[in-house]
Amino acid sequence: VLAMETMADDSVYIGTQRGLFRLPLGGTRLEPLPLPAPTPKAAVWSLMRQGDVLWIATDGLVALDLNSGTMRVDRTRLG
């Protein structure tokens, strides 16, 4: 486990060397959440919740919309 972030509903998102997983409240099994191509099982180094978005630091920066469940790669250039 490289990163963990608890949501308002007490579910937990877990970043590992083998991708992103979600543990629902009261759940006993991790749900794999494939990341956008080209690397759906890339290592997740960091997680940060900002409002209704979970930011995922992997080979790039991915935004997970917590309301719709959709992911998008953030192509904002920094610096």
Side-chain angles (χ1 to χ4, degrees):
V1 172
L2 302 172
M4 293 175 64
E5 188 74 25
T6 303
M7 300 295 110
D9 67 358
D10 287 330
S11 63
V12 179
Y13 285 83
I14 302 165
T16 74
Q17 291 179 334
R18 295 181 185 230
L20 180 66
F21 297 85
R22 180 178 176 270
L23 181 64
L25 175 65
T28 58
R29 301 190 96 178
L30 293 175
E31 301 170 353
L33 299 172
L35 298 167
T39 51
K41 292 185 180 178
V44 173
W45 301 107
S46 182
L47 298 169
M48 184 187 83
R49 181 173 171 226
Q50 184 179 36
D52 292 333
V53 174
L54 178 65
W55 291 99
I56 304 159
T58 182
D59 292 342
L61 188 59
V62 176
L64 168 61
D65 183 310
L66 296 169
N67 293 322
S68 68
T70 58
M71 289 190 201
R72 67 176 170 78
V73 176
D74 188 302
R75 302 204 187 280
T76 305
R77 294 188 148 237
L78 301 175

